[in-house]
């Protein structure tokens, strides 16, 4: 019999999306599943929906906690998991019918020597319905170190918690940082650090719903500064283990500053915002030579620097155009 696989799904105010997510999970072609739903103090009908699914499928277990955030909910799921393997799915997303079997077969093809398999996302833009394949439909066996390097350059490997299948042993001492957003960048790298090899299949089996008012798209707040903290946490750990990845992690740190700068572009000016922008731009410019001389730096980074060199108003306008085109 195939081993038990735990699927951990945090739930918070997703009544519009939850049924589609759960339907995609209960209809997996890999059936030996433990489906752990963690209600993070949801205030809409999500819990009622979860309970209805639980009453119809014995594989589903529902746990509730007061609202503590995504990381705490995922950690509860890890505490409750009994499976030999663990994967995560966010409750406003959905997955292909072979989501589990595809990653399990990636591990199987190399006699389960790798503790972790990863796949790609299909970005789904909720407003337009546009879908973008983030993978290349190829399969590789890479070292954990190479996965970290690829992740730093946004080259196929993602920082997300989902679209990954790991052994329970790999997740034994793994926890997401509580009360942080962008928690994935501050934690997922540890899976790669602890994996000698990783089975990579860049087929888009996870459908990532990019929508308004999600945690990462609902405008700027001080919480968005967690991206800098989480990225720098990753950088410190990776450089300590792999000093030769300095250029890669520096590129990721600069990217985090560009991303945070973009979050502030349409915020009302205040002394605090102006100071933040100044600090971000100083960091970006300070590392310009190192980033642009790196042959692995993505083309979009070069373009971002060129626009910023033309002045902040031009950069702001350029980012607006880029964002509209991508939506």
């Amino acid at each position: 019999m195939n081993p038990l696989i735990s699927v951990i799904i945090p739930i918070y105010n997703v009544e519009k999306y939850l049924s589609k997510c759960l339907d995609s999970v209960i209809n997996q072609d890999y059936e030996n599943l433990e489906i752990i739903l963690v209600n993070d103090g949801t205030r809409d009908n999500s819990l009622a929906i979860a309970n209805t699914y639980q009453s119809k499928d014995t594989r589903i277990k529902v746990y509730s906690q007061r609202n503590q955030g995504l990381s705490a909910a995922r950690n509860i799921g890890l505490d409750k998991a009994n499976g030999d393997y663990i994967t995560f799915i966010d409750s406003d997303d959905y997955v292909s019918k072979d989501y589990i079997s595809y990653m399990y077969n990636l591990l199987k093809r190399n006699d389960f020597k790798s503790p972790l398999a990863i796949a790609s996302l299909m970005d789904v833009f909720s407003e337009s319905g546009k879908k973008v394949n983030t993978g290349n439909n190829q399969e590789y066996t890479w070292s954990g170190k190479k996965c970290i390097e690829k992740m730093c350059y946004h080259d196929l490997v993602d920082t997300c918690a989902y679209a990954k299948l790991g052994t329970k042993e790999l997740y034994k001492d793994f926890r997401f940082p509580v009360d942080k957003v962008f928690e994935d960048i501050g934690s997922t790298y540890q899976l790669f650090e602890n994996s000698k090899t990783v089975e990579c299949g860049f087929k888009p089996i996870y459908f990532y719903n990019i929508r308004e008012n999600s945690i990462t798209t609902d405008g700027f707040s001080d919480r968005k500064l967690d991206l800098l903290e989480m990225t720098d946490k990753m950088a410190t750990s990776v450089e300590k283990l792999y000093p030769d990845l300095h250029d890669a992690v520096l590129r990721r740190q600069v990217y985090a500053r560009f991303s945070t700068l973009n979050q502030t572009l349409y915020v009302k000016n205040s002394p605090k915002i102006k100071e933040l922008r100044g600090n971000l731009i100083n960091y970006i410019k300070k590392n310009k030579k190192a980033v642009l001389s790196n042959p692995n730096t993505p083309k979009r980074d070069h373009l971002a620097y060129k626009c910023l060199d033309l002045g902040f108003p031009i950069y702001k306008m350029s980012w607006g155009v880029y964002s509209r085109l991508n939506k």
Side-chain angles (χ1 to χ4, degrees):
M1 186 177 182
N2 286 329
L4 179 67
I5 293 178
S6 297
V7 182
I8 300 172
I9 307 176
I11 296 172
Y12 181 73
N13 293 353
V14 286
E15 61 181 6
K16 182 179 177 180
Y17 310 97
L18 185 55
S19 291
K20 185 171 186 176
C21 174
L22 295 182
D23 284 340
S24 74
V25 176
I26 64 176
N27 291 312
Q28 288 292 296
D29 56 18
Y30 188 106
E31 297 181 351
N32 192 22
L33 303 177
E34 172 190 55
I35 304 168
I36 299 172
L37 309 183
V38 183
N39 164 39
D40 184 37
T42 192
R43 293 174 293 177
D44 63 4
N45 291 320
S46 297
L47 179 57
I49 295 170
N51 287 334
T52 297
Y53 274 82
Q54 182 184 37
S55 69
K56 296 178 180 179
D57 194 321
T58 58
R59 299 175 299 173
I60 295 178
K61 303 174 182 178
V62 179
Y63 300 95
S64 291
Q65 64 175 23
R66 63 179 176 83
N67 180 239
Q68 299 179 61
L70 180 59
S71 288
R74 286 175 176 166
N75 291 342
I76 288 291
L78 285 172
D79 292 337
K80 301 295 185 182
N82 297 302
D84 300 294
Y85 295 90
I86 292 171
T87 190
F88 292 90
I89 298 173
D90 278 3
S91 50
D92 53 349
D93 301 328
Y94 59 98
V95 295
S96 65
K97 189 177 181 65
D98 63 344
Y99 174 73
I100 301 293
S101 63
Y102 178 72
M103 290 190 291
Y104 179 73
N105 286 329
L106 285 175
L107 295 173
K108 185 178 180 180
R109 70 174 187 167
N110 202 18
D111 296 324
F112 302 101
K113 292 177 182 177
S114 299
L116 180 66
I118 65 175
S120 287
L121 314 183
M122 181 72 78
D123 287 344
V124 181
F125 292 83
S126 59
E127 281 189 38
S128 64
K130 177 182 176 182
K131 295 181 179 180
V132 178
N133 180 359
T134 67
N136 64 2
N137 297 303
Q138 300 297 310
E139 296 180 358
Y140 314 90
T141 299
W142 284 345
S143 67
K145 177 183 178 181
K146 183 168 184 176
C147 286
I148 292 173
E149 183 177 20
K150 291 280 190 177
M151 179 190 76
C152 286
Y153 291 118
H154 287 85
D155 185 4
L156 292 173
V157 179
D158 204 301
T159 64
C160 58
Y162 34 79
K164 293 171 177 61
L165 179 68
T167 62
K168 187 173 184 179
E169 183 65 24
L170 183 63
Y171 282 99
K172 182 179 179 181
D173 298 316
F174 179 90
R175 288 295 181 272
F176 294 93
V178 176
D179 199 30
K180 298 291 181 181
V181 293
F182 304 102
E183 71 291 332
D184 293 355
I185 185 64
S187 54
T188 299
Y189 70 90
Q190 297 171 39
L191 299 176
F192 297 132
E193 286 183 341
N194 292 315
S195 298
K196 184 175 181 181
T197 57
V198 178
E199 301 304 326
C200 307
F202 296 113
K203 173 184 174 182
I205 58 174
Y206 187 99
F207 293 80
Y208 173 57
N209 186 22
I210 300 176
R211 59 187 176 90
E212 296 298 320
N213 300 320
S214 69
I215 291 175
T216 55
T217 62
D218 61 355
F220 182 78
S221 71
D222 286 346
R223 296 197 70 196
K224 295 299 179 70
L225 299 179
D226 287 351
L227 176 59
L228 306 182
E229 180 185 347
M230 294 293 97
T231 302
D232 291 347
K233 174 177 179 285
M234 177 277 294
T236 299
S237 179
V238 170
E239 283 203 74
K240 184 176 180 180
L241 187 62
Y242 302 118
D244 56 321
L245 290 186
H246 169 78
D247 290 348
V249 296
L250 176 61
R251 182 268 157 185
R252 187 80 198 204
Q253 288 175 291
V254 168
Y255 164 82
R257 270 71 185 179
F258 266 121
S259 182
T260 304
L261 178 63
N262 295 341
Q263 294 281 342
T264 74
L265 293 183
Y266 303 101
V267 178
K268 185 177 180 180
N269 279 333
S270 68
K272 183 178 179 181
I273 289 295
K274 289 181 179 179
E275 181 182 6
L276 172 61
R277 283 185 189 143
N279 291 337
L280 293 170
I281 291 173
N282 286 340
Y283 186 99
I284 290 167
K285 290 184 174 181
K286 175 184 176 182
N287 293 289
K288 177 182 177 180
K289 183 176 180 181
V291 172
L292 295 187
S293 64
N294 182 347
N296 294 314
T297 294
K299 291 180 180 179
R300 68 180 183 184
D301 291 20
H302 289 263
L303 180 60
Y305 266 111
K306 286 181 179 179
C307 292
L308 189 60
D309 285 344
L310 294 173
F312 182 74
I314 297 297
Y315 179 83
K316 179 179 178 179
M317 181 186 70
S318 301
W319 173 251
V321 173
Y322 176 84
S323 298
R324 287 192 294 273
L325 289 175
N326 275 277
K327 285 184 179 180

